[in-house]
Amino acid sequence: MHYKKNRTISNLNTEWEAFSRANKVTRRDASRQLGWSDSFFGAILRGESNLSLENLIKISNYLEISPTRIDPDYLTPKF
């Protein structure tokens, strides 16, 4: 499970770096736009805060990517 967490956080950091460079967005800006404190998104990126399913989806929507780009094991609910 620890490996999965590291892989997911690594994927998140890769996607965040590409997005922030392309859109000239700071981590602080993103935190505020996501409705979080300035430090919360950084804590997720460092693996210090749990990346809940709700936050995975919130971040994925913000980055305009599929959640599976961050967590390849994420299963999209079927309705």
Side-chain angles (χ1 to χ4, degrees):
M1 190 66 157
H2 188 59
Y3 169 75
K4 179 182 185 272
K5 179 182 176 186
N6 288 338
R7 180 180 60 174
T8 299
I9 296 304
S10 177
N11 291 347
L12 173 57
N13 277 283
T14 299
E15 295 296 338
W16 164 248
E17 289 299 323
F19 179 86
S20 65
R21 265 194 312 270
N23 295 285
K24 297 181 180 14
V25 177
T26 67
R27 196 169 29 197
R28 184 178 187 184
D29 294 335
S31 290
R32 290 180 178 178
Q33 291 169 9
L34 289 164
W36 297 334
S37 68
D38 291 350
S39 61
F40 183 66
F41 189 39
I44 291 175
L45 289 169
R46 290 186 303 275
E48 295 171 358
S49 285
N50 185 34
L51 179 59
S52 67
L53 179 59
E54 179 182 346
N55 289 339
L56 170 64
I57 293 169
K58 196 171 192 177
I59 293 168
S60 299
N61 288 337
Y62 180 78
L63 300 179
E64 299 178 347
I65 60 173
S66 168
T68 58
R69 299 249 316 252
I70 297 170
D71 183 354
D73 296 327
Y74 172 78
L75 298 174
T76 304
K78 305 237 188 252
F79 297 97

